[in-house]
Amino acid sequence: MPDDAVPISLPAGGLAAPPRPSAEREGHSHGPARYGAAPAYAALDLGTNNCRLLIGAPLGTGFRVVDSFSRIVRLGEGLAATGQLSEIAMERALGALAACADKLLRRPLRSVQAVATEACRRATNGAAFLHRVEVETGLRPRIISAREEAELAMESCAPLLEAGDRRALLFDIGGGSTEIAWIRIPAGGPPVAELIGYISLPLGVVTLAERAGHSCFTEEGFGAVVEEVAAQLEAFDRVHCIGQEIRAGGVRLIGTSGTVTTLAGVALALPRYRRPLVDGCRLDVHVADQALGDLFALGRAGLAAHPCVGPERVEFVLPGCAIYAAIRQIWRVPTLTVADRGLREGMLLRMMRADRHGLRGAPRRYS
């Protein structure tokens, strides 16, 4: 990265001026944001279930992780029933965002971007909540579209493509929605991903857990969710002739979500979850199916005790597995590539690429 590269402007999402003392949350003190020729970039993803921060510094064509943060906040809790973010859910999210803001203000950063996804897209008070976030934490997340979610996931997973891949089918099982991206890889040269179709299903692990979570622990209930999701995928399959392309060969199935990384952890019999062993691994789908069966057989107590699940995720694992099972039912690809990466990684790669190809000049300071 050139030393005099121009950092990305942050008019729509990033870090605003620190809040006035009267607006500060108790226990948090904010100094001015530090931008300039710093080597690090930060990406924050406020999702329906999790609040995640990733700070990285460029390394070759990728980056090395400098710091990270992740907390389950369940921002979308109750949203399907009321159409609004609840006060208790917003308070949980604000606590996590304040922790992220403190991390960001402790180090020099080249650029910061923050996004909000399905919960804030759907909630009638989503925009008002994000204004409150800015006032209380100084962070300014922008609401991104489902298409941009798919594009960012595609960007982060593109390094997992290999020579010989003609197409890729990428799925991201989130808290409030599931994004499916249909990707073309042009022939010749290094793999370059091109989004040629996408669909966003209003079904995620939080929405399904609230509506059908208990029934997912029964074979009948689990099967009903699988059929519901599969019915919504069939139209997308017909439009893009995905099944036909799979039969022709050269289609890679990539999954990026807590659901598929959990399946991988179980399939690999990990005594505890280890990202380096999971990210980029390839599973025979029959092995993944067996891992799904193993998770289903554990029940609530067994899932809570499992080192790759834990008590906080018990209610979400089987709804996510039902979505995966529907994808597997519609698209019979022999192997699954598992990605422990997503929006934040895609955001970092975009910021770094923009700097590499940006206008030269003195770095701009944001405060």
Side-chain angles (χ1 to χ4, degrees):
M1 181 186 70
D3 289 339
D4 56 352
V6 179
I8 289 176
S9 176
L10 306 178
L15 191 63
R20 295 183 297 274
S22 59
E24 287 183 357
R25 293 173 59 81
E26 183 179 353
H28 295 281
S29 176
H30 298 269
R34 296 173 293 170
Y35 293 90
Y41 298 73
L44 187 150
D45 168 22
L46 177 60
T48 302
N49 197 41
N50 293 280
C51 176
R52 296 186 176 104
L53 172 69
L54 188 63
I55 301 174
L59 181 65
T61 58
F63 61 87
R64 63 178 178 85
V65 174
V66 174
D67 199 359
S68 64
F69 173 92
S70 180
R71 183 182 296 175
I72 294 175
V73 296
R74 304 193 309 280
L75 179 61
E77 184 178 48
L79 174 61
T82 67
Q84 292 191 322
L85 305 175
S86 70
E87 183 61 32
I88 190 169
M90 289 189 288
E91 282 294 330
R92 285 194 300 260
L94 282 164
L97 289 165
C100 290
D102 281 350
K103 277 183 173 287
L104 292 172
L105 293 169
R106 287 194 193 113
R107 69 172 70 247
L109 294 168
R110 184 74 170 176
S111 188
V112 177
Q113 288 286 315
V115 301
T117 56
E118 183 71 5
C120 289
R121 280 199 297 263
R122 292 179 57 192
T124 56
N125 59 342
F129 169 63
L130 294 184
H131 175 71
R132 181 178 169 187
V133 168
E134 180 176 351
V135 170
E136 296 194 26
T137 71
L139 292 165
R140 295 188 297 180
R142 64 182 177 90
I143 299 175
I144 61 172
S145 67
R147 180 183 180 91
E148 187 170 354
E149 270 198 79
E151 289 172 340
L152 288 167
M154 178 183 73
E155 183 137 7
S156 70
C157 292
L160 300 177
L161 298 171
E162 297 179 2
D165 292 340
R166 297 185 307 107
R167 299 282 190 274
L169 186 62
L170 171 65
F171 64 91
D172 182 359
I173 303 171
S177 64
T178 295
E179 274 63 53
I180 312 283
W182 181 230
I183 300 163
R184 176 190 295 121
I185 299 96
V192 178
E194 176 189 354
L195 183 66
I196 54 177
Y198 80 99
I199 185 173
S200 179
L201 305 181
L203 299 169
V205 298
V206 173
T207 51
L208 283 175
E210 290 184 354
R211 195 193 73 196
H214 179 73
S215 65
C216 278
F217 285 85
T218 69
E219 290 188 13
E220 182 180 357
F222 187 91
V225 173
V226 172
E227 292 305 318
E228 177 188 355
V229 177
Q232 296 194 43
L233 297 176
E234 286 174 344
F236 184 69
D237 176 73
R238 288 193 297 270
V239 168
H240 295 284
C241 303
I242 297 173
Q244 181 178 327
E245 293 283 359
I246 290 171
R247 289 188 292 273
V251 176
R252 180 177 295 275
L253 180 66
I254 304 176
T256 170
S257 67
T259 297
V260 291
T261 56
T262 298
L263 286 172
V266 174
L268 297 172
L270 298 181
R272 62 182 178 84
Y273 185 80
R274 294 185 60 194
R275 183 183 184 275
L277 297 179
V278 170
D279 183 47
C281 77
R282 296 182 65 180
L283 297 178
D284 182 280
V285 291
H286 298 295
V287 173
D289 290 349
Q290 181 60 54
L292 191 158
D294 292 343
L295 286 169
F296 186 85
L298 287 173
R300 279 189 173 83
L303 289 172
H306 197 285
C308 294
V309 181
E312 284 193 315
R313 298 180 57 230
V314 167
E315 301 301 324
F316 306 130
V317 171
L318 292 185
C321 285
I323 297 173
Y324 166 74
I327 292 168
R328 166 94 169 87
Q329 178 175 301
I330 298 298
W331 296 305
R332 299 188 178 277
V333 179
T335 60
L336 168 65
T337 298
V338 179
D340 188 348
R341 56 182 77 190
L343 264 66
R344 297 173 303 160
E345 290 82 358
M347 291 161 66
L348 288 179
L349 291 171
R350 275 191 179 181
M351 284 186 275
M352 293 173 189
R353 186 178 66 248
D355 260 7
R356 287 196 301 269
H357 300 293
L359 298 173
R360 291 175 178 269
R364 181 176 171 186
R365 183 184 181 90
Y366 298 89
S367 61

